[in-house]
Amino acid sequence: MFDVLFHRGFRGLVARTACPVILLALVGCEGDGSTALTPVEEWTAQAEYEFGDQLEGDALFGFFLDVRVPADGSNVYVLDSEASEVTIRNPGGAVIRRVGRAGEGPGEFSSPSRLVFFDDGFYVRDDRRITRFTRDGELTGTDAFPRGVDYRALGVQYWAMFTDRSFLALASPHTLEMPGSQDPTEDLALLRVSEDRGSWTTETLALSSFKDYFSSIPVDGDPFPVNQPWLAPDHFQEDPRNNSIVVSRTRTTLPGVVDLVEVSTTGDTLWTRRIHLPPIPLSEDSIVAKVDEMAAVVVQAAATGTGSPRLKSRIRDSWMIPEYWPAVRQIRLMSNGEIWFRPPGHDDRRIWYAVRKGEEDGAIRKVFAPESFVPHDVNDTHVWGVRRDEMDVGYVAGLRLERAARE
């Protein structure tokens, strides 16, 4: 899963959803209903570098990692959230410098969860602030999250910082109410928080629609919340260097369609692209497996009986079951300007798609990578990310990208 670190900073919403995703209500990118498939160029990702677990005793990583690489591929930057540390390494894994530690002082981190590149450095986001460094790891400054900012009388969740030192924030997930309330809120605001003459102000860049995404089933007389596994709310990624966000939209009338939209911090639409992939049918076996999985969750959380046929029937009746899988769940914006995503439901778990931000047509990349590998960043020659073994131990891996030979 892309951006597993989001799970830690957005606990209120994650408690009710299988993955933290945002559905933005944006105008445009509806297209003309064309069903022509987007052409693809096939690429392979071959293992070349890997480090972790047993590298001279100093690369035993925790579970939550973020990985970034510069364009020239000279170094690899690894944020280990559990160690509250960024290590700058060469591609072979040797440590060049260690940055940060747990704490609240300058250059220290409090539950860090995101590593982001700027043109002349990088920053680490933690629970309280943004801490900025040069590419060499020298501390250049700290930007505390503004206090006293609210939306509908509730606090906000900070997500990123742009080059103009404004912040990207999300309205508190508590603004969403579960079905059954008298006046349920179906939209979650995506906000820009900026300073104006000594005061912090908020502007709504877009509304994140969660309509129909949450439902509930009765368990021992009380409603138990469940989310819709095949309604894929749209996901977003920030682009701090360009002061914009990129949004994927999949709730269209056409199966296999992904609409990508780039929006500036001033609310202007900068780029749109529609991607049409072969739709993947949703099988009965997949439905039954997901019902069984949710029934086990309900039994454990509610401490009630077993996964009875009646419970499973209630779960199934609460879901909207489409004919096809959603085309995408989450996206990742890479340092080279590509947007990577994996199609859920595909039998081949090696497949990733890569779309170049700014390109309005033409072929996109279809990349075959090892099944256990999740990409985090890309430069001209390699894709870097995390590979997990059968014991769920994480290794940082760099795979060489090569154009597949034509038959």
Side-chain angles (χ1 to χ4, degrees):
M1 172 185 301
F2 286 139
D3 212 7
V4 68
L5 302 175
F6 193 14
H7 289 216
R8 306 186 68 194
F10 212 27
R11 295 184 181 91
L13 181 56
V14 173
R16 297 178 290 175
T17 62
C19 57
V21 285
I22 303 299
L23 207 176
L24 275 86
L26 299 174
V27 177
C29 207
E30 292 302 324
D32 57 5
S34 172
T35 58
L37 295 180
T38 300
V40 299
E41 296 177 350
E42 292 193 354
W43 288 67
T44 61
Q46 304 294 335
E48 184 169 0
Y49 301 110
E50 184 170 290
F51 49 89
D53 191 19
Q54 299 296 328
L55 179 67
E56 298 179 1
D58 67 354
L60 181 58
F61 296 121
F63 189 82
F64 296 100
L65 300 174
D66 202 4
V67 182
R68 289 289 179 178
V69 291
D72 62 8
S74 57
N75 295 326
V76 182
Y77 296 73
V78 182
L79 169 64
D80 186 335
S81 184
E82 293 178 53
S84 292
E85 179 183 70
V86 174
T87 52
I88 304 174
R89 301 170 180 265
N90 68 21
V95 177
I96 298 171
R97 183 165 187 173
R98 297 181 181 274
V99 176
R101 62 181 180 181
E104 300 180 8
E108 298 176 338
F109 309 133
S110 173
S111 299
S113 55
R114 186 84 167 151
L115 175 64
V116 177
F117 268 9
F118 277 110
D119 289 333
D120 57 354
F122 66 93
Y123 74 66
V124 174
R125 184 199 71 194
D126 67 17
D127 285 348
R128 301 180 181 182
R129 58 191 176 182
I130 300 287
T131 304
R132 293 175 280 109
F133 302 89
T134 67
R135 289 290 176 94
D136 294 331
E138 295 291 337
L139 177 65
T140 59
T142 301
D143 295 272
F145 295 142
R147 296 184 178 183
V149 176
D150 63 60
Y151 178 81
R152 295 186 180 178
L154 292 172
V156 301
Q157 306 252 353
Y158 291 98
W159 176 246
M161 186 180 71
F162 297 103
T163 56
D164 62 2
R165 310 289 278 278
S166 65
F167 294 91
L168 176 64
L170 305 171
S172 169
H174 296 294
T175 59
L176 295 172
E177 297 178 20
M178 294 299 295
S181 60
Q182 293 183 344
D183 186 23
T185 301
E186 297 176 339
D187 297 323
L188 191 65
L190 182 61
L191 308 167
R192 180 189 179 213
V193 180
S194 57
E195 191 172 16
D196 182 19
R197 288 174 287 189
S199 299
W200 291 98
T201 62
T202 61
E203 303 169 79
T204 300
L205 296 179
L207 294 177
S208 309
S209 175
F210 280 82
K211 183 178 181 180
D212 298 328
Y213 187 62
F214 299 120
S215 60
S216 64
I217 58 172
V219 176
D220 294 337
D222 296 318
F224 186 93
V226 294
N227 64 291
Q228 298 287 340
W230 298 289
L231 289 185
D234 299 352
H235 193 226
F236 75 89
Q237 286 274 276
E238 79 280 8
D239 187 348
R241 287 179 287 188
N242 293 311
N243 290 327
S244 66
I245 58 174
V246 177
V247 183
S248 67
R249 303 174 59 205
T250 56
R251 293 186 69 172
T252 66
T253 57
L254 296 175
V257 168
V258 182
D259 285 332
L260 297 171
V261 184
E262 182 180 16
V263 182
S264 72
T265 53
T266 59
D268 297 322
T269 299
L270 303 178
W271 167 72
T272 64
R273 176 80 190 266
R274 168 163 283 193
I275 306 297
H276 195 163
L277 306 174
I280 301 173
L282 178 61
S283 68
E284 177 65 19
D285 287 345
S286 295
I287 298 171
V288 170
K290 182 59 69 174
V291 169
D292 290 344
E293 178 184 324
M294 179 56 69
V297 171
V298 173
V299 168
Q300 181 178 10
T304 180
T306 61
S308 67
R310 185 177 181 184
L311 172 62
K312 293 178 181 179
S313 177
R314 288 175 177 173
I315 292 172
R316 184 162 183 155
D317 289 345
S318 73
W319 283 342
M320 298 179 182
I321 302 178
E323 185 177 355
Y324 296 95
W325 283 86
V328 63
R329 289 196 188 280
Q330 292 183 307
I331 60 174
R332 174 91 174 188
L333 179 60
M334 307 301 191
S335 294
N336 72 340
E338 286 185 326
I339 301 156
W340 281 53
F341 61 90
R342 169 186 276 171
H346 204 291
D347 290 336
D348 192 340
R349 297 290 293 170
R350 301 175 302 156
I351 293 176
W352 296 86
Y353 289 100
V355 183
R356 177 74 62 174
K357 184 164 69 74
E359 291 185 354
E360 297 180 357
D361 53 27
I364 64 175
R365 290 209 277 191
K366 182 180 182 181
V367 183
F368 292 86
E371 184 174 334
S372 59
F373 175 80
V374 175
H376 282 226
D377 208 4
V378 182
N379 58 20
D380 290 340
T381 58
H382 290 77
V383 52
W384 284 85
V386 176
R387 181 187 72 84
R388 295 198 175 275
D389 65 15
E390 63 278 1
M391 300 298 292
D392 214 17
V393 174
Y395 300 79
V396 174
L399 314 182
R400 177 171 289 278
L401 292 166
E402 298 178 351
R403 181 75 178 269
R406 296 184 179 180
E407 296 182 357

